[in-house]
Amino acid sequence: MQETAGHTPCPTGFRQADTSLLVPEASATGTRSTPTACRVRADALRMLGCVRMATVRQVAQVITAEGSDGRSYVRRAMQQLKTQGLAETNGKSGRDRIWNLTPSGLKALSAGNELPPRPRAGTGARGIRAGFGPHGIAVTETILAYGGRHHLTGWQVEVNHAIKAIGLSFSTDAVLTLPTATSEVHLFEVDNGTMTRARLAQEVWDYERYAGHRVWEGARGTVGRSYDFWARHRYTRSRLFPTLYVVLTGLPEHLLQRRLEALARDVDGITIAVLATTLPRLKRGEPWYELAVDDPSRRRARYPEAFSR
């Protein structure tokens, strides 16, 4: 596996749009000022609208920048949001309660134009009650480790990718769209240590199947042409298929490293760009492992063009 320090988002490198949550302002003494209760509630709502579920610690990490002291402000704010019917808790991750928006909370965000349109956004409550809360918290932890508050509103979670014609359907754990001229997209898969090696590898290979599918178009009786399904129907401004980032967590670090090495073997020969790491490495800012590079030519040879509708 080759290590690469690339593909790390730069907090200040994009000027087309502001997709970050503001850092609490400094007081006259140079210390972080305490956000007002109203602002804490508003920022907590906006954050949950982006990541779908989070613990008090994770919310405090983003909107207060005060470490453990900020949790008390956030905890009170979440209780107030619960009283107002805008947020709720449906489970725990370890000892921490998992918070998510209610349908009323989603409507409040939508009505206030607080986030980019998310017509299929859910509250996450059903997933938490079904036992997927710890995985959702791992996804949120990955989002915060990758960029923190920077570009937070550029994230979407549980994004469906489907091609009905070939019976392919899967959900990407998180998708980051950066505010660049080409709307640069990064895809994230997070394994919380609950999948088998074979299942994890299959999820990665599904992305190649998605990237390789081509569709023919043209009037009847003409030669016509084919195009990449993803370029026409999903990532219309991207020149290359987005890079897939795989993050492993949920196990002791030495086991995560073994799992990472196994994944590298299992996806050998794949024709999309794949970077992988463990969550502890990501938090320490260590380089990603490059498992594969994008190779459209080999991908087209592997998935021949469709010559009919």
Side-chain angles (χ1 to χ4, degrees):
M1 294 184 294
Q2 179 181 351
E3 288 191 4
T4 172
H7 303 278
T8 302
C10 174
T12 59
F14 307 100
R15 299 182 180 179
Q16 286 86 344
D18 181 12
T19 55
S20 62
L21 288 181
L22 297 176
V23 180
E25 298 176 356
S27 65
T29 61
T31 59
R32 299 287 188 192
S33 61
T34 301
T36 64
C38 181
R39 177 173 167 182
V40 171
R41 291 196 298 271
D43 282 348
L45 272 180
R46 194 149 60 109
M47 177 177 171
L48 288 176
C50 299
V51 302
R52 192 168 294 183
M53 58 185 77
T55 64
V56 164
R57 177 189 60 80
Q58 290 173 329
V59 177
Q61 178 181 338
V62 170
I63 68 176
T64 67
E66 294 185 36
S68 59
D69 290 339
R71 299 185 199 184
S72 60
Y73 298 110
V74 171
R75 192 171 289 110
R76 286 197 296 270
M78 300 310 297
Q79 289 296 336
Q80 291 169 343
L81 290 173
K82 182 178 180 180
T83 300
Q84 295 168 351
L86 301 177
E88 62 183 358
T89 178
N90 288 283
K92 290 185 176 182
S93 177
R95 299 172 59 184
D96 298 322
R97 291 186 178 276
I98 302 173
W99 288 90
N100 62 274
L101 296 181
T102 63
S104 296
L106 280 177
K107 289 180 181 178
L109 277 178
S110 177
N113 294 320
E114 293 288 336
L115 296 174
R118 288 176 166 87
R120 297 185 180 180
T123 65
R126 183 180 301 177
I128 296 173
R129 289 194 291 265
F132 296 109
H135 178 265
I137 293 303
V139 173
T140 300
E141 197 72 10
T142 297
I143 290 172
L144 299 184
Y146 189 77
R149 63 170 48 83
H150 302 292
H151 310 300
L152 188 61
T153 61
W155 289 91
Q156 293 190 62
V157 296
E158 290 298 314
V159 178
N160 182 251
H161 292 75
I163 303 177
K164 186 176 181 180
I166 59 175
L168 179 64
S169 179
F170 59 89
S171 292
T172 302
D173 287 328
V175 175
L176 172 62
T177 303
L178 293 171
T180 61
T182 57
S183 295
E184 181 183 349
V185 175
H186 297 175
L187 309 176
F188 285 77
E189 278 294 330
V190 180
D191 171 37
N192 202 28
T194 57
M195 286 189 288
T196 64
R197 276 180 43 188
R199 175 59 182 163
L200 176 60
Q202 182 59 52
E203 287 202 354
V204 176
W205 281 100
D206 280 345
Y207 283 90
E208 189 198 60
R209 289 182 62 201
Y210 187 88
H213 185 64
R214 295 179 64 79
V215 179
W216 183 89
E217 70 174 358
R220 189 176 299 276
T222 64
V223 175
R225 66 186 184 90
S226 64
Y227 59 87
D228 289 318
F229 177 90
W230 64 267
R232 179 67 62 88
H233 298 287
R234 173 62 74 171
Y235 304 113
T236 57
R237 299 175 66 181
S238 298
R239 186 174 60 87
L240 299 174
F241 187 75
T243 298
L244 174 63
Y245 295 76
V246 182
V247 180
L248 308 181
T249 184
L251 296 171
E253 195 161 357
H254 70 284
L255 295 180
L256 292 178
Q257 188 64 31
R258 292 181 190 174
R259 198 168 174 84
L260 185 59
E261 293 167 357
L263 178 64
R265 294 191 296 269
D266 292 339
V267 302
D268 183 43
I270 200 167
T271 60
I272 61 170
V274 181
L275 298 177
T277 191
T278 66
L279 187 55
R281 285 176 58 91
L282 180 60
K283 288 182 175 181
R284 293 194 296 264
E286 297 179 16
W288 291 75
Y289 289 105
E290 186 177 77
L291 305 190
V293 296
D294 190 65
D295 193 335
S297 298
R298 277 201 306 127
R299 189 162 61 241
R300 289 187 181 184
R302 184 172 292 173
Y303 300 92
E305 296 181 1
F307 290 101
S308 61
R309 293 184 187 276

